[in-house]
Amino acid sequence: MTKVLKMSSSSRQTLTREADLDFDVGRVRADFPILRTRVHGHDLVYLDNAATSQKPRAVIEAISRYYDCDNANIHRGVHYLSERATADYESARKTIQSFLHASRPEEIVFVRGTTEAINLVAQTYGRQHIRAGDEVLITAMEHHSNIVPWQLLCEEKGAKLKVAPINEDGELILEEFERLLGPQTKMVAVSHISNALGTLNPIATIIKMAHAIGIPVLVDGAQAVPRMPLDVQELDCDFYAFSGHKAYGPTGIGALYGKLALLERIPPYQGGGDMISSVTFEKTIYNKVPHKFEAGTPDIAGAVGLGAALEYLNDLGMANIAAHEHELLAYATDVVSAIPGVRLIGTAKEKSGVLSFVMDGVHPHDIGTILDQEGIAIRTGHHCAQPVMEWFGVDATARASFGVYNTKQEIDALARGVEKVRKVFA
Ligand code: C6P
């Protein structure tokens, strides 16, 4: 049941129009010191970008420069370093704003990553708006981070988690999704790109459908931010969550975009320093958005590193990155699916960045271990998306995921490795 990935002619035309044909992967690779690592006597082939991506020198140096020259706590001191650190942190917020095309920096809340962003929305907007009998609508391909926070909320409130089904290619069945939207639905939460299947969801259509009956939409953008141009205003999503570490930035930092009017109406997530404007034992007045959601000393160096990562991606051009990864995925789909005994898991027409597969008679962990001996890093397991694994009738898959620095030669190495696995288990 393998299929060759296709891209709609309109998306392909857009990418071709905007992509710069000079995208030079050799130059990009030179920006990533870790790619020179040798693994078990082989050049590293890093194909685990959906788990976390490697960091360009620009990011490593920005973090190091921050600690060398600017380190202090932010929003608190009047001294020189504190002002510099505050300026660095707020400038990173502006970089994220412009990367996502949000209308104002106040719409960007720093969080630890996608997981924290979704929990923040569930525990603030969700607790404020969802009551017994209400419904939260997600899809069957969500990551646990976009399932469990809603389950926790539904348990607390006596609400129901509804799951829109997918077809055998791993595509959302839009008519079913629309049928499940109803007067009880109070929130929709959907991944932009599935980490387990690579499916690129029709987010703009989903948002229009939900908004037609006044329901807000949270988009889990963990896999989309590093892979495609984004415009949250054009999408008109209410919340957009992502992690820095998948977008070539550091771990421990990410961002939540929220429409300003929504963020202003919802209560804080955590209490502590910096999220207040005044405190007495009787009453606390909260700080303004976005600081209301950023209690305690944040990951300042992380924010600086994330800002540097998004600037780096902007310099490469997101349309170039999307076109490059599309080419890699199409090539990998062809060569890996041609190997006897391989079955792709996730064959949506619109896909990005991720090739998940299983092999007859071989556990995915064995595929990963044999590939590691060849210097090839992939992820094996359920990818924190157990319900979608169950839907496909597998416990786990082997998953190669691509990034800006990957090449067709590396995919050839992957194919040779998979061929070797097949022979070992023949
Ligand atoms: N997926 C993967 O290997 P955090 O851990 O908060 O940075 O991101 C969570 C998350 C949420 N949504 C999607 C679609 C994701 O892919 C992830 C992280 C990694 O696929 C680690 S499980």
Side-chain angles (χ1 to χ4, degrees):
M1 80 165 226
T2 51
K3 269 195 182 168
V4 174
L5 163 134
K6 288 191 210 92
M7 194 180 221
S8 69
S9 57
S10 63
S11 8
R12 201 169 32 240
Q13 275 160 15
T14 314
L15 288 184
T16 318
R17 215 179 325 114
E18 290 171 9
D20 166 2
L21 298 173
D22 286 340
F23 182 80
D24 178 350
V25 71
R27 258 188 9 229
V28 173
R29 290 181 70 78
D31 293 334
F32 290 81
I34 207 168
L35 296 181
R36 294 196 294 264
T37 305
R38 298 273 296 166
V39 178
H40 307 306
H42 301 271
D43 288 336
L44 167 68
V45 174
Y46 188 78
L47 298 176
D48 196 15
N49 295 284
T52 199
S53 53
Q54 299 301 344
K55 317 306 169 202
R57 198 174 285 103
V59 168
I60 300 165
E61 284 173 359
I63 296 169
S64 178
R65 200 165 44 243
Y66 167 77
Y67 281 123
D68 278 345
C69 307
D70 295 352
N71 179 51
N73 212 328
I74 53 165
H75 301 147
R76 288 156 169 88
V78 289
H79 62 77
Y80 176 78
L81 285 183
S82 177
E83 279 172 8
R84 278 179 74 100
T86 303
D88 291 345
Y89 183 75
E90 293 305 331
S91 144
R93 195 190 305 278
K94 287 198 182 114
T95 304
I96 299 169
Q97 173 211 344
S98 95
F99 190 86
L100 296 180
H101 291 99
S103 64
R104 307 166 62 132
E106 293 88 335
E107 294 181 317
I108 306 300
V109 178
F110 281 113
V111 287
R112 281 189 296 138
T114 310
T115 304
E116 189 173 50
I118 298 172
N119 277 281
L120 188 159
V121 176
Q123 291 300 313
T124 57
Y125 182 88
R127 284 179 107 186
Q128 192 179 51
H129 288 86
I130 287 158
R131 315 220 182 294
D134 287 346
E135 293 174 0
V136 174
L137 179 58
I138 61 170
T139 80
M141 70 181 90
E142 298 309 316
H143 185 279
H144 298 165
S145 293
N146 203 23
I147 301 174
V148 185
W150 304 113
Q151 275 174 336
L152 288 167
L153 177 72
C154 288
E155 264 167 39
E156 181 190 320
K157 296 288 187 172
K160 282 200 205 92
L161 187 67
K162 294 292 215 180
V163 182
I166 56 177
N167 65 21
E168 62 162 22
D169 288 321
E171 294 163 325
L172 180 65
I173 306 172
L174 264 182
E175 309 75 63
E176 289 294 311
F177 173 84
E178 192 166 28
R179 202 181 52 76
L180 286 166
L181 278 174
Q184 287 86 3
T185 318
K186 291 290 167 335
M187 181 83 208
V188 167
V190 188
S191 56
H192 201 159
I193 295 175
S194 151
N195 68 314
L197 309 174
T199 307
L200 171 60
N201 276 317
I203 287 298
T205 310
I206 289 170
I207 293 168
K208 276 200 189 83
M209 284 175 172
H211 283 182
I213 52 169
I215 301 160
V217 180
L218 174 141
V219 181
D220 170 352
Q223 298 297 343
V225 163
R227 301 206 155 80
M228 55 192 286
L230 284 168
D231 186 330
V232 289
Q233 291 185 78
E234 195 179 304
L235 282 177
D236 198 27
C237 54
D238 301 280
F239 298 104
Y240 197 97
F242 77 96
S243 304
H245 70 97
K246 294 183 199 291
Y248 308 93
T251 49
I253 189 81
L256 170 71
Y257 157 82
K259 284 182 178 163
L260 189 61
L262 273 174
L263 292 179
E264 276 172 345
R265 282 203 299 271
I266 60 184
Y269 178 42
Q270 295 177 329
D274 218 29
M275 52 77 70
I276 56 90
S277 99
S278 78
V279 179
T280 64
F281 287 119
E282 288 70 41
K283 185 168 174 58
T284 291
I285 311 222
Y286 305 129
N287 204 340
K288 51 189 192 315
V289 167
H291 310 296
K292 178 171 88 174
F293 298 104
E294 295 177 1
T297 302
D299 183 355
I300 308 162
V304 169
L306 175 53
L310 299 185
E311 275 164 16
Y312 177 81
L313 292 181
N314 263 336
D315 287 348
L316 292 183
M318 289 311 295
N320 294 330
I321 293 170
H324 175 67
E325 289 195 25
H326 174 68
E327 214 178 304
L328 291 177
L329 180 59
Y331 184 65
T333 303
D334 282 348
V335 296
V336 174
S337 67
I339 299 169
V342 166
R343 174 163 74 105
L344 299 190
I345 302 292
T347 48
K349 283 186 266 325
E350 299 283 345
K351 267 186 81 170
S352 182
V354 167
L355 189 75
S356 250
F357 60 96
V358 291
M359 291 178 80
D360 291 344
V362 190
H363 193 279
H365 289 324
D366 292 327
I367 305 176
T369 306
I370 294 174
L371 291 181
D372 176 57
Q373 289 306 308
E374 304 295 310
I376 303 165
I378 61 159
R379 182 168 174 192
T380 62
H382 53 59
H383 316 297
C384 302
Q386 278 183 317
V388 81
M389 296 285 115
E390 198 182 323
W391 192 92
F392 276 96
V394 296
D395 315 325
T397 72
R399 183 191 70 182
S401 52
F402 309 110
V404 288
Y405 34 66
N406 290 126
T407 64
K408 286 190 176 164
Q409 288 80 352
E410 290 183 311
I411 289 165
D412 290 337
L414 170 71
R416 282 194 301 276
V418 173
E419 192 56 63
K420 186 167 178 182
V421 174
R422 185 174 79 86
K423 289 192 180 127
V424 170
F425 284 86

